[in-house]
Amino acid sequence: LEGKLEGRMEGELKGRLEGELKGKLEGKLEGKLEIARTLLKMGKPIDEIVLITGLLKEQIEELGMRD
């Protein structure tokens, strides 16, 4: 019984930590995408936006197609 409880608690902790990490990463990505959108609207070259944001060229080109 004690082993089961310990295993369950470890599983819950692992799941919560993974969820928190995923949320933080998604938030960082969304922030970078927002900066890229702004830079595109300002007319900055895609290569420069790649350097500034760390995003892939394809991600930035996709943003340009949506606007």
Side-chain angles (χ1 to χ4, degrees):
L1 183 64
E2 190 175 312
K4 259 186 169 177
L5 181 60
E6 198 173 299
R8 181 173 165 221
M9 289 174 62
E10 284 180 24
E12 288 175 1
L13 177 61
K14 181 181 176 191
R16 188 176 64 214
L17 291 175
E18 286 174 355
E20 288 175 9
L21 178 60
K22 182 180 177 189
K24 286 180 182 181
L25 291 174
E26 288 174 354
K28 282 186 174 187
L29 175 60
E30 190 53 44
K32 289 180 178 191
L33 292 171
E34 189 59 39
I35 291 168
R37 281 186 202 97
T38 300
L39 293 170
L40 280 171
K41 288 177 185 173
M42 293 171 63
K44 296 288 183 186
I46 289 179
D47 291 339
E48 194 172 317
I49 299 172
V50 168
L51 288 174
I52 293 168
T53 63
L55 294 171
L56 298 174
K57 185 176 181 178
E58 293 79 13
Q59 290 172 298
I60 297 165
E61 288 171 342
E62 187 178 315
L63 286 175
M65 289 184 229
R66 285 192 215 160
D67 290 343

